[in-house]
Structure formats: C-alpha cells, structure tokens
Amino acid sequence: HVGPFTVYGQTFGLIQEEDGEVFERVPFDGILGLAFPKMSANGVTPFFDNIIQQKVLKNNEFAFYFSPDNPSANAVFWGGVDSAFHDG
C-alpha cells in the first residue's frame, strides 16, 4: 500500500548495507524506484509502471514538493499536483 491505494505484484528490494555519503547526509526511511523500465534493476517493472498498468490513479502523474523552510512538510502527490503547493 502507498497512501490510499494498492499496487499488486510489485517487486520489493531490501538494502542490507548502505555505502556512500548520501546515506550519511540525507535522512530517509527508504527508496522508491521510479526508473524507466530499461533502467530498472534486474528487469523489474518499476513502481510507477505498475501503477499505470493497473490503472490505480485517475491521472498517471506524480509531483514532489520540497519545502525550503520545513523538511517535514516535504510531500509526494500521486495522481496530479496540488495547486496549493506551487505558484504559476
């Protein structure tokens, strides 16, 4: 489950050892691969490709919001954008 929706048959990879500066400098709980199919590891269908194939969202879109002042306000929006989070 991701938020309010379910994606079936998604391959999940586990990182057992983190190596590199990014893991020391950036606090995060996990990695969600959004690669193009030709870039995915081991030929696995990427998460968003499964979303599209399974017709999970009304609109096949996603957006990110990164707060310049409050990292806890960072967000990902599935199925479109939220106009409250951008100008223009």
Side-chain angles (χ1 to χ4, degrees), residues 17-87:
E17 186 175 321
E18 299 170 342
D19 184 27
E21 186 177 340
V22 68
F23 296 105
E24 297 169 11
R25 300 186 76 202
V26 180
F28 58 87
D29 295 321
I31 298 172
L32 178 65
L34 295 171
F36 293 108
K38 289 187 177 192
M39 296 173 61
S40 71
N42 303 316
V44 171
T45 301
F47 174 72
F48 203 71
D49 285 74
N50 271 331
I51 287 176
I52 293 168
Q53 291 171 7
Q54 296 175 26
K55 301 181 184 344
V56 174
L57 302 174
K58 183 177 177 181
N59 298 309
N60 292 324
E61 302 171 338
F62 63 91
F64 296 98
Y65 172 75
F66 295 102
S67 171
D69 304 313
N70 182 5
S72 66
N74 295 345
V76 61
F77 299 95
W78 301 104
V81 299
D82 185 330
S83 60
F85 288 85
H86 68 85
D87 295 324

